Amino acid sequence: MAMTRIVNVSRRGFLKGASAAGGGLVLGVSLPVFDAFGQLVAPAQPGRLNTFVQIDPDGTVTITLHQAEMGQGVQTSLPMIVAEELEADWSKIKVVHADAVPENGMEPAAMGTGGSRSVRVNFEPLSKAGATARQLMVQAAANRWAVPVSQCTASNGAVSHPSGKTATYGSLARGAATLAPPQNVALKAAADRRIVGKPTTRLDARAHATGAASFGIDVGMADLLVGTVVHCPVFGGKLKALDPAPAMAIRGVLRVIPKDDYFIVVGTGFWPAKKGAAALAPQWDAGPGGKNSSEKIDTLLQAALKKPGAVAVDRGDSKSAAKSVKKSFSATYQVPLLHHATMEPMNATAWVQGDRIEVWAPTQNAGRERYSIAEEFDARPENVNVHVPYMGGGFGRRIGMSFIRPAIVASKVMGKPVKVIWTRNEDMAHGMLRPCAISKLTAGLDESGLPALWNNRLVVPSIAEQLAPTRVMNDVDPISVFGADAPAYSLPNLKLDYAMPQAGVPLGFWRSVPHSYNAFFIESFIDELARENGADPVAYRRSLMTAYPRHLAVLERAAKEAGWDTPLPAGHGRGIAVHESFGSICAQVVELTMPSPATIKLTKLTAVVDCGLAVNPRGIETQIEGGMVFALTAAMFGRIDIKDGAAVQKDFDTYKMALMAHIPPVSVHIMESGPIGGITEPGVPPLAPALTNAIVAAGGKRIRKLPLMDEGIGLV
């Protein structure tokens, strides 16, 4: 982990803007920098600050964060870490999202949010920042009272002395602002924590409940114009011809802006723009992509599955182990392309004034996009500002600037601020899709029925090949194989080979990325092996997990909480799955009944997650619950089909969602062992295999291909 740098910004006085105003204490913190692929990278400007802790004379503690809030509660959990070590009064805490502007000194690469990293990589540096601020408060009080520091104690936003003297942080802030930060501050023992680990209501809960929270689509300002964008329906196609007259005849339409592969209609409001776009009859050049289809993509994947791929993992001695194999078992699993389907469709607002570009965008990567915008629009980075409102869901879709670009183009043409809103159809038809994937798993079983050999042939179009080709090493995209490369089972002879055929569609990060399909493949196969051997699925997993005590403990806890050993009526079934992702281990048990051979009804969902440290248990529960529902939607209904080069699904009538009525009672149980892990994504991977395993347990057929609706299974 990179060393944390903490600077008393107020003392050194080099921070521009309002944050250092008021005579309070402002600490700047340099947090570690990761790229979109989760790799720790050297910052472009080493030591540059990316988080600030400010204590004003009125006692308000303002924490300026670079992590975006898209529903995961990060703007509550991260302040809890600071407040814990600061010994702050929680009622005095405020949180502000940092804009990606040159004045705030943010390290651009650090202003990304993804990979369930926010808490796990920032826990230690934010703890040190809080402890440093607390120590400065104590030092300021000791100086004022002319007493030894060791005699002063900080608690709940104030410092006290055995003599009876007390001083609030607000009254000490000016004095603390003149002090040098101490080095090597001591952090509190876990037993002394009073904020971290306490179920806490989100700081922004009231704003969301009352509608006061401002999302990207809510951005407004004087003279704002509103547009909508229409892309070539075919991925990779171009705009050949466009007559703007029908749109310009509609009241409120101001301009039609044609571009290479899309056009924008700008109006006085969204509805005139939308009506204008609908009135047009663009001619598109589909290009070679127009011949693409789901059938063609499937043919490519199936062909790749028949040939050996690049070796991603080759562990053990398969040749010698083959001698102990008594029988073999093989199964092939498949998942489709998926869309993110965020509740808030893509949108952005831009105002281009001369060589300055101001952007308001619900982006997961504000710092990086600031530089991407500067490069694409030939501007200097110091003239580009990106402001980040709340996001109505992200799930990886809001990485990249494809949804920001049309707003900048429109503003540049109109000379005014322009907000460009994608319609739901446009959003659905032009996503950055979760790759489709196929896995053929083969196990050679020894006389005890356990895998002496484990071969996994994995075929997945590569995200890295499209977004960062240098990440592909020896024809292996490491992003595609995470979760399949090291299952938490004793598999002494494991071979994983991999192929990445071209799908001809844009690919991107989707909540839990490859774990979403690799967990389905492996946990379905393990369940099949258990049943092939006449073993209980939990007992079979237990026999393979002796070398993985954390995973085993999560498995055992899930079985206990779900009442695994309690008999169920005929037609009912339980399925279990356990998977590690983003540093956390999550096991889930799905309990269901089958009113008919083609219908399932969920009766109970149980989840156990070991995330190492539960900063905000209430937030963890909601994230795991949300992840399970997200995964249920994908397992039951999720699928993007390609026909004539275009996405078939255009809205929620064809891209169906799980409904509230489908969701049974859900219980989430938290364990804390090992290093701190992520929480936003680990709730997704186990649900699909636990669901299909439960169907088998209830007497239904084995489902090896998602979504279930394509296999004739409905949800009531």
Side-chain angles (χ1 to χ4, degrees):
M1 182 65 68
M3 183 177 294
T4 303
R5 179 171 175 256
I6 301 173
V7 178
N8 185 344
V9 175
S10 44
R11 179 171 180 258
R12 297 179 61 170
F14 65 77
L15 185 73
K16 297 178 182 179
S19 62
L25 170 68
V26 184
L27 293 183
V29 188
S30 177
L31 297 179
V33 177
F34 292 82
D35 65 14
F37 295 86
Q39 299 297 309
L40 183 66
V41 298
Q45 295 169 287
R48 195 155 185 189
L49 309 172
N50 45 28
T51 288
F52 298 91
V53 179
Q54 176 177 340
I55 303 175
D56 290 327
D58 67 358
T60 301
V61 178
T62 302
I63 301 169
T64 304
L65 296 168
H66 63 282
Q67 265 82 21
E69 180 62 69
M70 47 192 144
Q72 80 277 39
V74 71
Q75 292 194 5
T76 298
S77 53
L78 294 181
M80 289 175 69
I81 298 168
V82 176
E84 177 66 68
E85 290 292 341
L86 177 56
E87 284 289 353
D89 177 353
W90 182 248
S91 68
K92 299 283 189 181
I93 296 292
K94 285 176 52 180
V95 62
V96 174
H97 187 279
D99 293 330
V101 297
E103 289 80 7
N104 73 4
M106 289 284 183
E107 163 58 44
M111 295 189 70
T113 307
S116 296
R117 283 189 296 273
S118 296
V119 168
R120 59 187 169 124
V121 305
N122 293 322
F123 183 83
E124 183 177 332
L126 289 179
S127 294
K128 289 182 177 178
T132 299
R134 181 229 311 153
Q135 192 61 30
L136 288 172
M137 289 293 150
V138 171
Q139 181 67 60
N143 291 349
R144 177 185 294 179
W145 300 328
V147 300
V149 168
S150 60
Q151 294 180 358
C152 299
T153 304
S155 177
N156 199 35
V159 180
S160 60
H161 184 263
S163 63
K165 293 185 176 72
T166 63
T168 64
Y169 280 3
S171 68
L172 295 169
R174 293 180 192 278
T178 66
L179 303 175
Q183 301 297 312
N184 303 318
V185 292
L187 302 183
K188 296 167 69 173
D192 296 331
R193 291 173 183 152
R194 62 183 182 86
I195 296 176
V196 167
K198 178 183 176 183
T200 301
T201 300
R202 285 174 49 164
L203 290 169
D204 56 4
R206 178 173 293 277
H208 286 289
T210 61
S214 180
F215 293 78
I217 208 165
D218 298 324
V219 170
M221 62 190 72
D223 299 324
L224 178 68
L225 304 177
V226 182
T228 193
V229 63
V230 178
H231 291 81
C232 177
V234 176
F235 295 115
K238 303 293 183 185
L239 179 62
K240 193 162 63 177
L242 179 68
D243 176 9
M248 296 303 295
I250 293 174
R251 184 178 181 183
V253 172
L254 301 175
R255 186 80 174 252
V256 176
I257 304 170
K259 299 297 293 183
D260 190 40
D261 59 347
Y262 64 92
F263 64 86
I264 308 163
V265 178
V266 181
T268 54
F270 176 71
W271 294 114
K274 184 173 183 293
K275 289 168 66 176
L280 297 177
Q283 296 179 43
W284 304 103
D285 177 4
K291 298 179 181 178
N292 199 11
S293 67
S294 294
E295 291 75 17
K296 183 178 179 181
I297 295 171
D298 187 60
T299 298
L300 291 172
L301 266 64
Q302 296 291 350
L305 192 67
K306 295 176 181 175
K307 299 182 292 185
V311 176
V313 180
D314 191 358
R315 187 175 69 207
D317 184 353
S318 299
K319 187 174 292 185
S320 299
K323 299 174 184 175
S324 64
V325 171
K326 302 302 179 186
K327 64 177 179 180
S328 294
F329 184 84
S330 183
T332 300
Y333 306 89
Q334 186 168 1
V335 298
L337 296 165
L338 288 177
H339 192 270
H340 298 79
T342 59
M343 183 60 71
E344 180 192 21
M346 297 301 107
N347 66 86
T349 300
W351 193 356
V352 181
Q353 300 176 85
D355 61 350
R356 295 192 64 82
I357 302 175
E358 203 88 3
V359 169
W360 295 260
T363 169
Q364 292 178 237
N365 208 9
R368 183 67 70 192
E369 303 318 339
R370 181 170 154 251
Y371 278 76
S372 299
I373 291 167
E375 182 177 353
E376 180 168 332
F377 289 91
D378 197 24
R380 290 181 297 174
E382 57 267 32
N383 286 343
V384 178
N385 295 336
V386 180
H387 310 276
V388 185
Y390 284 120
M391 301 176 206
F395 316 128
R397 173 61 182 94
R398 300 185 196 274
I399 296 173
M401 62 174 288
S402 63
F403 70 96
I404 301 174
R405 184 180 296 113
I408 301 173
V409 169
S411 179
K412 201 168 184 178
V413 171
M414 303 303 294
K416 291 186 175 183
V418 180
K419 175 164 58 180
V420 173
I421 301 173
W422 296 38
T423 63
R424 178 65 65 190
N425 287 5
E426 192 67 15
D427 188 8
M428 191 74 76
H430 294 280
M432 304 288 286
L433 305 175
R434 197 286 305 270
C436 46
I438 299 180
S439 170
K440 181 179 181 181
L441 281 152
T442 303
L445 306 177
D446 62 20
E447 59 183 9
S448 61
L450 300 178
L453 293 175
W454 178 280
N455 291 330
N456 185 355
R457 178 156 296 166
L458 183 63
V459 179
V460 189
S462 168
I463 297 174
E465 189 178 45
Q466 289 193 9
L467 303 182
T470 57
R471 296 289 183 186
V472 178
M473 303 290 288
N474 300 319
D475 296 325
V476 175
D477 172 4
I479 297 170
S480 296
V481 303
F482 286 154
D485 53 352
Y489 294 111
S490 295
L491 303 171
N493 304 291
L494 182 151
K495 185 173 183 181
L496 169 64
D497 63 54
Y498 166 74
M500 49 181 192
Q502 302 278 345
V505 298
L507 304 174
F509 303 101
W510 188 88
R511 192 174 184 178
S512 79
V513 207
H515 297 280
S516 63
Y517 50 79
N518 284 325
F520 173 63
F521 301 156
I522 292 171
E523 286 300 289
S524 295
F525 191 60
I526 285 287
D527 208 76
E528 293 212 58
L529 294 182
R531 296 182 185 281
E532 182 74 9
N533 286 279
D536 173 81
V538 170
Y540 191 78
R541 284 176 171 82
R542 187 185 292 131
S543 67
L544 289 168
M545 279 187 175
T546 54
Y548 299 89
R550 281 187 74 199
H551 299 74
L552 180 58
V554 172
L555 175 77
E556 299 280 20
R557 177 74 181 275
K560 177 184 175 184
E561 299 292 349
W564 183 262
D565 294 326
T566 304
L568 290 171
H572 291 240
R574 293 190 189 97
I576 194 166
V578 57
H579 187 78
E580 178 179 356
S581 61
F582 307 96
S584 291
I585 303 162
C586 187
Q588 294 174 8
V589 178
V590 173
E591 187 173 312
L592 55 77
T593 182
M594 299 191 71
S596 75
T599 309
I600 61 173
K601 178 177 177 59
L602 305 181
T603 55
K604 182 180 175 184
L605 299 178
T606 305
V608 175
V609 61
D610 184 348
C611 54
L613 173 65
V615 172
N616 184 4
R618 184 168 297 160
I620 290 171
E621 289 179 12
T622 58
Q623 282 303 298
I624 295 297
E625 289 171 354
M628 295 171 79
V629 175
F630 186 87
L632 177 65
T633 282
M636 285 300 311
F637 311 114
R639 186 191 70 207
I640 289 291
D641 298 317
I642 305 299
K643 182 179 180 182
D644 297 330
V648 173
Q649 289 78 9
K650 298 292 196 301
D651 209 332
F652 290 127
D653 58 337
T654 49
Y655 199 84
K656 295 182 180 299
M657 296 279 121
L659 306 177
M660 291 290 286
H662 293 140
I663 310 303
V666 182
S667 64
V668 177
H669 308 272
I670 301 170
M671 299 176 69
E672 297 179 272
S673 71
I676 188 168
I679 206 65
T680 303
E681 294 166 274
V684 173
L687 191 283
L691 176 65
T692 53
N693 293 341
I695 291 173
V696 175
K701 63 181 181 180
R702 168 63 62 181
I703 305 295
R704 292 174 175 156
K705 184 178 181 182
L706 300 180
L708 270 66
M709 70 174 183
D710 287 356
E711 301 299 301
I713 303 293
L715 178 65
V716 296

